[in-house]
Amino acid sequence: MATWQVGPFDNDEAVEWCGVLEAIAPDRRTDLARRALEAAVPAGRAPTVGEAARAVAAAATILQSLTGASVSDSAYAPRFLLGRRDIRVNASLRDLATRALDGVLEDGSTWRLGWAGDVEEEDALAVIEELRANLASAVVL
C-alpha cells in the first residue's frame, strides 16, 4: 500500500475506499462505512494494513458526517458528502468508529508496525489519536 502523507485519506486503500463510497448508491453508504469499521475492531486478531486504512478513512468520514466539516485537507477526502445526510450516524456507529481506531492504534497492530521507526511515526499516531478523541466527544443528534 502506498502512503504519501499521514492523513486519513493519504494512502491507496483509503483512496479506493472513497471511490467506492462515491460510486455506490447513497442509501448504501452507511453500510459501507459500518463494514469497514467492523473489519478493524479487534476480534482475536489485528486488522490488516488495508483494513486499518479503510477503517481510518471510514472513521474520518463518520466524523465529517457528524460535524459537517471536512477533517482532512487531502484532495481524496469525501467532500462530496458535505451538507448531505447519506451517512446516518447514530451513537452505535460513532462508538464502532472509536473501537475500530482503538484496534488500529493497538500495540503490535499491522498499521502501527508499518509506521514503526518512520520519521513521521509520531505524526501518524497523533492524527489517529486526534481523530479518535474528536469522534468520542462528537455529539450525535
Side-chain angles (χ1 to χ4, degrees):
M1 172 178 75
T3 301
W4 47 89
Q5 292 290 326
V6 297
F9 303 104
D10 296 334
N11 61 75
D12 288 342
E13 291 288 340
V15 170
E16 288 177 22
W17 184 83
C18 285
V20 172
L21 182 68
E22 187 169 11
I24 65 170
D27 64 340
R28 295 181 56 212
R29 290 180 175 147
T30 302
D31 189 51
L32 181 70
R34 183 180 309 284
R35 286 194 320 267
L37 296 167
E38 288 172 343
V41 173
R45 68 165 183 85
T48 67
V49 173
E51 289 168 340
R54 289 186 295 276
V56 168
T61 302
I62 296 299
L63 181 59
Q64 175 180 291
S65 294
L66 282 169
T67 64
S70 182
V71 297
S72 172
D73 293 333
S74 174
Y76 302 102
R79 286 187 190 82
F80 67 92
L81 290 175
L82 289 173
R84 299 175 60 143
R85 303 289 297 165
D86 293 358
I87 297 184
R88 295 170 306 283
V89 183
N90 57 26
S92 173
L93 186 60
R94 183 204 54 204
D95 294 346
L96 177 62
T98 59
R99 288 194 324 272
L101 294 178
D102 288 341
V104 170
L105 288 170
E106 205 170 80
D107 284 337
S109 78
T110 55
W111 181 89
R112 197 158 181 161
L113 290 173
W115 284 102
D118 189 284
V119 296
E120 294 182 312
E121 177 181 10
E122 287 183 30
D123 294 335
L125 288 170
V127 166
I128 305 303
E129 289 166 350
E130 180 180 5
L131 176 58
R132 193 210 176 282
N134 288 337
L135 269 167
S137 66
V139 176
V140 178
L141 300 176

